[in-house]
Amino acid sequence: MARATPISKIRNIGIMAHIDAGKTTVSERIMFYAGKTHKLGEVHDGAATMDFMAQEQERGITIQSAATTLTWKDHMVTLIDTPGHVDFTVEVERSLRVLDGAVALFCAVGGVQPQTEKVWMQSEKYAVPKIAFINKMDRIGADYYGVVAEIQNELGCNAVPVVIPIGRADAFQGIISLISMKAVYFDDADRRTLRVEDIPPERLAGAKKWRANLVEKCAEQDDVLMEKFFDTGDLSETEIWTILRQATIARKIVPVFCGAAFKNKGVQHLLDGIVNLLPAPNEIPPIIAAETDGDEEPGRREPTDEAPFSGMAFKIVADKHAGKLTYIRIYSGTLLTGQNVLNSTLNKSQRIGRILRMHASHSENLEMAQTGDIVAVVGLAHTRTGDTICDEDHPIQLTSIEFPAPVVSISIAPNSKMDNEKLSAALYKLADEDPTFTVSFDQETSETIISGMGELHLEVIVDRLKREFGVSAKVGRPEVAYRETATTLVEGQYKHIKQSGGRGQYAHVCMRLERLKPGDGFEFVNEVVGGRIPTNFIPAVRKGVVRAMTSGPYAGYPVVDMRVVLTDGSYHDVDSSDFAFQEAGRACFKELFLKASPILLEPVMSVEVMTPEDFMGASTGSICQRRGRIETMEDKGAYKLIEGMVPLSEMFGYATSLRSMSQGRATFTMQFEHYEAVPFFLTEQIIKARRDANKIR
Ligand SMILES: Nc1nc2c(ncn2[C@@H]2O[C@H](COP(=O)(O)OP(=O)(O)OP(=O)(O)O)[C@@H](O)[C@H]2O)c(=O)[nH]1
Ligand SMILES: [Mg+2]
């Protein structure tokens, strides 16, 4: 079927940066210049189109990634604005997984922040080509060249300015394009008009120096151009664009632009950069299957409409009107409404209902979608985030999306008992949307426990429950998601025998517990030979072990990083059953685990505090007091940046305490780093508290 837009003119782009760098403001300008909106919505007025959730508008931050599609110079650009706050990192991860290119935003004053490094690394993991935009050039202290150097040194990339600013702070008037070698001024009165003039004489030397840098960096990429550069000392405009495009897509160069989105400066050039330098869906490598599963074709799909359909579900939204919306990135082939597709992750056939193109909170119906499109689909009832959707006759499974495990938990109960069912239905819908949010039920205390990435994450969930689902709920204090593991190797056996009239119960198992590397989870190995336990009972033993591990024997927390080897056992012709072997598996694991020197593990966060020098001592002290250790301290302009590791359990309420200690001038971010053993004296306290609360069996 004919395409409305040739695939070479499609761009799927994300905007990523630390919190408050101006991602949403840039997105609003992009939509305005592309004629998508006619009025500029400002974040701080709660009026940004992309920040359409009530919680986003009230807090002035982005919480969920929003997508919109627009046209710029006959290219179709799908743009995803991502949040900067670490609690919503899932939104960045899923967007980067399916996008072809990204704009990395920097604040001209703040430069490379810890969170910038984090999102940069996320984008590198998915090999996403990037261009950089240094925003907020109108702020006092803006330092374009300083930030370019930071990008090069701290992010270790080949950042090459394509424009340079004319003036800075209040005197920031425009930019010099190093490709056309023209000065461009942005008229304040009419936000759209660009005044293009010759470079003013006093800026010519600087512009020539940076032009030479750009040309040299381009020439380095290509032997023929290198020769020409040596002969003539310059390259043509077309040559620069062509080589810059190739090098950006190959991730050898990160072209740098600048402006002040809030003041409507520099964004049109960024848009030119997006369409001229970032890849089309057919310029990225064909996607490869995670596993071929007996498929005789090689497990790859070329990005063409003729190839069998394949796509990835990367986002689920419970929409009030449309129902469950599944966002899909199409990697190959064509998708039609009413078509049956295979969810190859679940091996389930699904029917495509409506296909929608999303514009923030609005949508437009489509009859079909093609390679490279990002659309939302109605009708995929079972599909989850990270699942592959594909042609039923040509199954393929793509690598899923990695999500961090939730680290903070709270108990939750509806204010009114009548709302019990409504609450659990709403919670499961929200968990469906967000893979870093989980819901569980504590059998011992009959409490519903919700877990997420941080306090803000859970606060937003509770708020959404009230507003979107009409359920008011009360919540407990935030608690740390501890884990249990064993430290020594143990072997032993357990006999489950019951003889109380009628048919008896008999199951006998021998096990060995071994410790796995952190993060390796759980392995169950069956070494039983000669039918000493019939194979049909083995899954029951495993089930019993898993049951014992869900609520660990030591303190009732999940057990992780263990290998359980079933070595031997015996059975009885009449009295053995699945039930008896499950019980034996559970009890044997429990007994052995408690003998294997169990310990508690706690999440440790990497914490970065940015503070004026005056509060340096107080800030480092606040980390040490919290069982933290300082890793590095460095100067960041007028500020000091302290990086350290602190157990999460010590970080509750830190925002308030840091604020009061520094007269509101120090700020911090934190993110989950790894699990570490809890010191023994604290373990005892935690276990006692759990016992008092009746949470240990
Ligand atoms: N002075 C100045 N302020 C800006 C500029 N761009 C954005 N801002 C302001 O910076 C604040 C944060 O902007 P946002 O666009 O919400 O930043 P964000 O990166 O989307 O933030 P999160 O989504 O919360 O991570 C807002 O008050 C903007 O008005 C700029 O170019 N200059
Ligand atoms: Mg935002």
Side-chain angles (χ1 to χ4, degrees):
M1 224 173 286
R3 299 185 63 99
T5 313
I7 195 163
S8 60
K9 301 227 157 159
I10 291 186
R11 300 288 178 272
N12 292 315
I13 305 304
I15 302 202
M16 56 176 214
H18 61 82
I19 194 159
D20 262 0
K23 298 174 290 296
T24 305
T25 309
V26 168
S27 308
E28 294 297 316
R29 266 58 188 182
I30 287 181
M31 287 193 281
F32 178 76
Y33 289 121
K36 188 90 220 167
T37 48
H38 300 289
K39 217 173 119 253
L40 280 173
E42 300 298 356
V43 175
H44 44 250
D45 299 334
T49 316
M50 296 294 248
D51 281 354
F52 56 83
M53 265 170 79
Q55 290 80 358
E56 297 182 310
Q57 295 176 348
E58 283 171 14
R59 292 164 198 258
I61 60 165
T62 304
I63 291 171
Q64 59 176 3
S65 51
T68 192
T69 302
L70 45 93
T71 310
W72 181 253
K73 300 195 173 160
D74 56 284
H75 287 71
M76 186 174 97
V77 182
T78 295
L79 181 86
I80 298 190
D81 174 27
T82 64
H85 195 287
V86 280
D87 277 17
F88 309 111
T89 176
V90 57
E91 296 295 314
V92 182
E93 189 79 23
R94 63 164 121 231
S95 306
L96 288 171
R97 170 68 180 79
V98 297
L99 290 168
D100 301 323
V103 175
L105 226 64
F106 297 83
C107 168
V109 183
V112 174
Q113 308 239 330
Q115 186 58 12
T116 327
E117 285 176 32
K118 164 97 198 265
V119 290
W120 190 272
M121 268 153 56
Q122 276 175 295
S123 77
E124 287 290 294
K125 186 169 78 185
Y126 294 115
V128 178
K130 291 174 279 291
I131 59 181
F133 184 74
I134 300 182
N135 189 32
K136 304 201 183 182
M137 281 303 303
D138 60 316
R139 279 187 56 193
I140 296 172
D143 177 8
Y144 180 68
Y145 303 102
V147 178
V148 171
E150 277 187 19
I151 299 175
Q152 287 163 343
N153 300 334
E154 295 182 28
L155 302 176
C157 72
N158 192 7
V160 181
V162 177
V163 303
I164 54 170
I166 303 176
R168 57 175 168 166
D170 281 350
F172 176 60
Q173 310 159 43
I175 56 172
I176 292 171
S177 160
L178 299 173
I179 303 184
S180 66
M181 284 302 266
K182 289 281 178 197
V184 185
Y185 299 92
F186 306 94
D187 259 322
D188 272 346
D190 174 358
R191 300 168 179 138
R192 288 180 195 274
T193 311
L194 303 178
R195 200 157 35 85
V196 181
E197 291 179 6
D198 285 338
I199 299 172
E202 71 277 12
R203 298 201 179 262
L204 200 54
K208 280 188 173 160
K209 182 184 127 203
W210 284 102
R211 157 84 174 197
N213 173 65
L214 169 66
V215 170
E216 196 183 321
K217 296 280 185 180
C218 285
E220 275 171 10
Q221 305 294 322
D222 185 297
D223 290 346
V224 180
L225 288 184
M226 195 56 153
E227 248 173 63
K228 182 180 169 198
F229 174 61
F230 277 134
D231 289 347
T232 64
D234 208 358
L235 299 176
S236 73
E237 248 185 72
T238 322
E239 281 165 339
I240 297 178
W241 276 118
T242 310
I243 201 73
L244 207 51
R245 172 174 185 74
Q246 287 166 8
T248 307
I249 296 174
R251 297 192 301 130
K252 292 186 174 150
I253 283 182
V254 175
V256 187
F257 294 80
C258 73
F262 184 53
K263 299 279 169 67
N264 311 304
K265 292 186 170 133
V267 178
Q268 290 105 318
H269 283 73
L270 173 65
L271 259 167
D272 286 347
I274 289 175
V275 299
N276 289 336
L277 300 174
L278 289 172
N282 60 353
E283 287 172 300
I284 53 165
I287 44 147
I288 312 282
E291 50 194 54
T292 36
D293 207 22
D295 190 357
E296 70 273 10
E297 282 177 69
R300 60 190 259 150
R301 294 283 178 270
E302 299 298 327
T304 65
D305 296 337
E306 291 69 41
F309 165 70
S310 70
M312 166 152 294
F314 67 96
K315 187 174 162 80
I316 311 279
V317 172
D319 187 85
K320 255 203 193 124
H321 309 292
K324 177 172 167 175
L325 285 181
T326 309
Y327 282 68
I328 294 182
R329 158 69 201 255
I330 301 179
Y331 284 103
S332 61
T334 302
L335 188 65
L336 299 171
T337 52
Q339 183 183 339
N340 280 333
V341 291
L342 175 74
N343 176 328
S344 55
T345 315
L346 294 175
N347 201 16
K348 256 199 169 95
S349 179
Q350 305 247 270
R351 190 169 174 279
I352 300 289
R354 289 158 64 201
I355 303 177
L356 307 168
R357 181 166 327 278
M358 298 307 293
H359 304 291
S361 58
H362 300 282
S363 59
E364 162 199 356
N365 277 307
L366 300 178
E367 279 306 308
M368 67 162 184
Q370 289 165 308
T371 303
D373 281 348
I374 289 182
V375 289
V377 166
V378 183
L380 301 181
H382 300 285
T383 300
R384 305 152 311 170
T385 303
D387 285 359
T388 304
I389 309 292
C390 60
D391 186 327
E392 290 193 298
D393 299 327
H394 299 88
I396 186 167
Q397 196 170 331
L398 311 177
T399 319
S400 189
I401 313 176
E402 278 174 33
F403 297 113
V407 285
V408 178
S409 301
I410 49 175
S411 64
I412 183 164
N415 279 340
S416 135
K417 274 241 155 51
M418 317 236 298
D419 278 349
N420 243 332
E421 259 173 42
K422 229 163 126 188
L423 174 74
S424 56
L427 286 177
Y428 283 103
K429 268 195 187 148
L430 289 169
D432 207 19
E433 282 188 7
D434 180 351
T436 55
F437 169 68
T438 58
V439 185
S440 59
F441 188 71
D442 189 325
Q443 303 278 358
E444 299 304 309
T445 55
S446 300
E447 276 177 343
T448 302
I449 307 290
I450 57 174
S451 310
M453 301 304 296
E455 287 174 276
L456 179 62
H457 187 197
L458 294 178
E459 199 182 307
V460 168
I461 297 265
V462 174
D463 197 28
R464 288 186 64 190
L465 279 175
K466 190 152 111 205
R467 300 213 212 172
E468 288 168 41
F469 299 90
V471 190
S472 294
K474 50 181 176 295
V475 294
R477 269 164 40 90
E479 279 190 36
V480 171
Y482 292 102
R483 301 273 183 268
E484 300 180 13
T485 196
T487 54
T488 52
L489 191 142
V490 286
E491 273 186 85
Q493 55 174 313
Y494 187 88
K495 273 190 182 152
H496 176 77
I497 305 176
K498 280 220 167 100
Q499 211 73 56
S500 51
R503 195 178 142 191
Q505 293 179 25
Y506 181 91
H508 170 209
V509 294
C510 303
M511 273 181 197
R512 187 171 69 240
L513 304 195
E514 297 170 2
R515 189 171 185 191
L516 291 178
K517 277 204 316 295
D520 277 0
F522 165 58
E523 259 177 46
F524 182 81
V525 184
N526 174 23
E527 283 183 359
V528 178
V529 285
R532 293 178 58 83
I533 301 179
T535 40
N536 57 318
F537 290 134
I538 306 287
V541 180
R542 185 183 193 280
K543 206 166 160 189
V545 170
V546 170
R547 244 181 72 207
M549 290 178 79
T550 332
S551 174
Y554 192 38
Y557 292 109
V559 176
V560 293
D561 306 332
M562 300 285 315
R563 179 185 289 128
V564 177
V565 187
L566 181 62
T567 51
D568 202 358
S570 61
Y571 73 105
H572 184 275
D573 276 340
V574 180
D575 290 348
S576 283
S577 64
D578 266 2
F579 175 78
F581 271 102
Q582 218 191 96
E583 272 308 293
R586 190 183 66 77
C588 187
F589 177 83
K590 194 172 161 186
E591 269 190 25
L592 293 184
F593 184 81
L594 289 173
K595 284 185 198 154
S597 321
I599 53 167
L600 279 188
L601 299 172
E602 63 180 340
V604 172
M605 313 300 278
S606 113
V607 177
E608 283 107 358
V609 180
M610 191 78 108
T611 172
E613 175 130 37
D614 295 355
F615 304 106
M616 174 87 172
S619 301
T620 48
S622 73
I623 290 183
C624 299
Q625 272 162 18
R626 290 180 153 73
R627 287 197 287 130
R629 48 177 194 271
I630 310 253
E631 309 255 295
T632 58
M633 283 192 260
E634 58 182 287
D635 292 336
K636 268 275 171 193
Y639 282 76
K640 299 274 177 199
L641 174 69
I642 309 164
E643 296 191 20
M645 296 286 178
V646 190
L648 174 63
S649 61
E650 306 284 339
M651 288 301 289
F652 294 125
Y654 187 58
T656 321
S657 118
L658 186 68
R659 208 177 301 133
S660 61
M661 162 171 83
S662 66
Q663 298 164 9
R665 294 181 56 211
T667 54
F668 83 104
T669 58
M670 69 170 178
Q671 69 204 32
F672 169 69
E673 194 62 37
H674 54 246
Y675 270 92
E676 256 178 43
V678 177
F680 189 66
F681 72 98
L682 279 176
T683 305
E684 284 185 323
Q685 287 175 20
I686 296 168
I687 292 181
K688 181 172 180 310
R690 299 279 287 177
R691 200 159 276 136
D692 293 347
N694 234 349
K695 290 191 180 179
I696 307 179
R697 275 171 219 242

